[in-house]
Amino acid sequence: MNKPQSFFHLHLISDATGETLLAAGRAASAQYKDARAIEHIYPLIRTEKQLMKVFEDIEDEPGIVLYTVVDQNLARMIDSRCAAMGLPYVSVLEPVLSVFQSYLGTPAGRRVGAQHVLDAEYFRRIDALNFTMEHDDGQLPGDIEDADIVLIGISRTSKTPTSIYLANRGIKTANVPIVLGVPLPESLAGARRPLIVGLIATAERISQVRQNRLLGTTAGFDAQSYIDRATINEELAYARQICTRHNWPMIDVSRRSIEETAAAIVALRSRTR
């Protein structure tokens, strides 16, 4: 008899694009078939202020913390905050740098993003990442026309991690939440340039993920309604209605990895160009 799948939060903090962390985190997660990681990716974290915002999110949804930050002051801050919160944490590059230093007899130069060639493709990806971070969760709706792709969907349909994944490939991606009974921004309905894609999933899948999300809820939050499958079905019906009305394609992410969802979106984009 198979064990029911559980979920845990995996926080990935990087001072560059986060690809190294993403690969390491997914390689480790893949070894645990009964546990699925809810990924939170924080790229381009290079200041204390940015790091403080990251830990606000981690406090809401505690879990494992992996990081690649070459600035030793920031690394010490991560270590101390995680220790104080009782969270497991690993500097993914530090053990590797120690081996290199021992063998080569010289310390690492600790240059942020030194693995990336500073060519046009690199700057395109960084530009896409900056755009995506600024347009997460419905922020700056007036700039929707500047996006390459806009992902819409109800809570916990993997909009943010999919957006970050696409941005890492140089695709400017915004995401906008669908809330039952709340109209979408007018700028979205009138957008002509971006491909707009609705992300949906089964009510069972969303309820499972939301139950894990309850770890970080605040007082006054209606937890029962948030995970109630009948309510989720209403939300999904509302989302489908919106997408059908505007002829926006939908992708069911219930059994798809982030990579598979992103690949399906890129294929849609290729066909509609």
Side-chain angles (χ1 to χ4, degrees):
M1 182 175 173
N2 291 332
K3 294 182 180 178
Q5 191 172 63
S6 61
F7 297 87
F8 66 96
H9 293 287
L10 177 62
H11 297 276
L12 308 169
I13 307 172
S14 173
D15 54 17
T17 62
E19 285 183 294
T20 302
L21 275 178
L22 200 58
R26 287 180 177 172
S29 297
Q31 302 303 313
Y32 298 88
K33 64 179 182 179
D34 296 323
R36 182 159 184 170
I38 300 172
E39 297 169 348
H40 305 265
I41 307 171
Y42 310 96
L44 306 176
I45 302 302
R46 298 176 181 178
T47 68
E48 290 187 18
K49 183 177 180 180
Q50 290 173 322
L51 191 57
M52 290 303 98
K53 177 63 174 66
V54 168
F55 272 100
E56 288 177 14
D57 293 344
I58 294 175
E59 285 177 356
D60 284 343
E61 298 174 312
I64 298 171
V65 177
L66 305 182
Y67 69 90
T68 49
V69 175
V70 297
D71 184 299
Q72 292 182 298
N73 289 329
L74 292 182
R76 281 192 288 269
M77 287 180 63
I78 295 172
D79 292 349
S80 62
R81 284 297 298 272
C82 288
M85 295 166 67
L87 298 178
Y89 59 95
V90 176
S91 171
V92 172
L93 282 181
E94 203 59 40
V96 180
L97 290 175
S98 295
V99 170
F100 273 61
Q101 179 174 332
S102 175
Y103 185 79
L104 298 174
T106 183
R110 296 192 176 274
R111 291 177 293 129
V112 174
Q115 73 271 33
H116 299 290
V117 177
L118 299 182
D119 56 11
E121 175 66 16
Y122 172 80
F123 287 110
R124 186 171 71 90
R125 290 166 59 201
I126 294 300
D127 188 39
L129 271 170
N130 285 329
F131 179 91
T132 298
M133 292 168 67
E134 290 172 353
H135 295 80
D136 182 43
D137 202 31
Q139 297 183 84
L140 303 178
D143 296 343
I144 286 294
E145 195 65 42
D146 296 329
D148 297 316
I149 290 172
V150 181
L151 303 182
I152 61 173
I154 69 172
S155 171
R156 302 295 136 178
T157 47
S158 303
K159 296 185 298 298
T160 294
T162 305
S163 296
I164 295 292
Y165 188 92
L166 289 167
N168 265 307
R169 276 135 191 82
I171 301 171
K172 292 182 178 179
T173 309
N175 73 79
V176 178
I178 293 178
V179 180
L180 186 61
V182 177
L184 290 172
E186 291 182 11
S187 57
L188 188 61
R192 293 292 175 265
R193 180 179 179 273
L195 169 67
I196 301 172
V197 180
L199 301 185
I200 59 172
T202 63
E204 179 182 13
R205 161 71 177 157
I206 292 172
S207 180
Q208 288 175 340
V209 178
R210 287 184 178 184
Q211 286 180 49
N212 195 282
R213 171 69 173 82
L214 294 180
L215 292 171
T217 56
T218 56
F221 180 78
D222 187 356
Q224 190 56 45
S225 176
Y226 188 61
I227 64 174
D228 178 68
R229 292 185 187 179
T231 303
I232 293 171
N233 274 321
E234 287 183 41
E235 295 178 55
L236 288 168
Y238 180 61
R240 289 190 179 97
Q241 183 184 68
I242 289 173
C243 290
T244 301
R245 184 191 314 141
H246 294 283
N247 200 29
W248 293 333
M250 290 175 278
I251 294 176
D252 190 328
V253 302
S254 303
R255 297 183 180 277
R256 292 179 191 261
S257 65
I258 299 299
E259 297 96 331
E260 290 169 332
T261 301
I265 292 167
V266 171
L268 274 174
R269 185 170 179 239
S270 298
R271 291 200 295 269
T272 55
R273 284 180 124 178

